[in-house]
């Protein structure tokens, strides 16, 4: 999914908002599960600084909060694009352009500031 998002962004400068949000959600979840599974294998020694897992654990917990916006913001952006009437998953599969509009900024978020 990382490759697909990067490839799509290379083709379309301002079109990968939903795909990048989906990618961040997937990678965040995968990273946290992988680190916790490794810690389970190592056991109580996973917290020992000699193994480096404690650092990976801290980074996996903090990752949703930084690096291209927090996770909730990325998910709202992805939901906003996916709920647009003109969106179909085939657009990403076929690397077709799909423009991002202010109304897609977040599903369920009032974007009218008047």
């Amino acid at each position: 999914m990382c490759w697909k998002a990067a490839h799509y962004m290379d083709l379309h400068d301002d079109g990968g908002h939903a795909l990048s949000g989906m990618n961040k959600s997937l990678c965040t979840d995968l990273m946290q599960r992988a680190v916790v599974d490794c810690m389970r294998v190592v056991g109580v020694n996973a917290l020992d600084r000699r193994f480096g897992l404690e650092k990976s654990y801290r980074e996996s917990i903090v990752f949703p909060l930084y690096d291209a916006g927090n996770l909730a913001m990325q998910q709202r952006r992805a939901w906003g694009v996916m709920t647009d009437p003109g969106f179909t998953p085939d657009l990403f599969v076929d690397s077709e352009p799909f423009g991002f509009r202010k109304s897609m900024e977040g599903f369920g978020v009032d974007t009218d500031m008047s």
Side-chain angles (χ1 to χ4, degrees):
M1 188 163 201
C2 290
W3 174 86
K4 184 65 176 174
H7 178 67
Y8 192 87
M9 293 297 284
D10 283 344
L11 294 175
H12 312 288
D13 291 334
D14 192 33
H17 297 280
L19 204 52
S20 61
M22 291 179 223
N23 188 43
K24 174 141 185 175
S25 296
L26 175 74
C27 290
T28 297
D29 186 48
L30 182 61
M31 180 175 153
Q32 289 174 346
R33 283 188 287 146
V35 170
V36 169
D37 286 349
C38 288
M39 292 179 84
R40 284 189 184 125
V41 169
V42 174
V44 72
N45 289 329
L47 297 175
D48 191 327
R49 290 181 184 256
R50 292 179 293 169
F51 297 106
L53 285 174
E54 49 83 27
K55 181 180 179 203
S56 296
Y57 181 74
R58 279 195 320 272
E59 290 174 355
S60 73
I61 296 303
V62 174
F63 184 72
L65 304 175
Y66 67 95
D67 191 35
N70 71 36
L71 185 59
M73 181 193 74
Q74 293 296 326
Q75 288 174 336
R76 279 193 306 274
R77 181 172 281 173
W79 296 334
V81 172
M82 291 188 305
T83 57
D84 187 80
F87 173 79
T88 65
D90 294 337
L91 292 169
F92 291 143
V93 172
D94 298 333
S95 294
E96 295 293 324
F98 187 72
F100 183 78
R101 294 181 300 283
K102 182 75 172 164
S103 64
M104 296 176 189
E105 197 162 281
F107 182 70
V109 176
D110 184 17
T111 56
D112 183 21
M113 300 302 238
S114 57

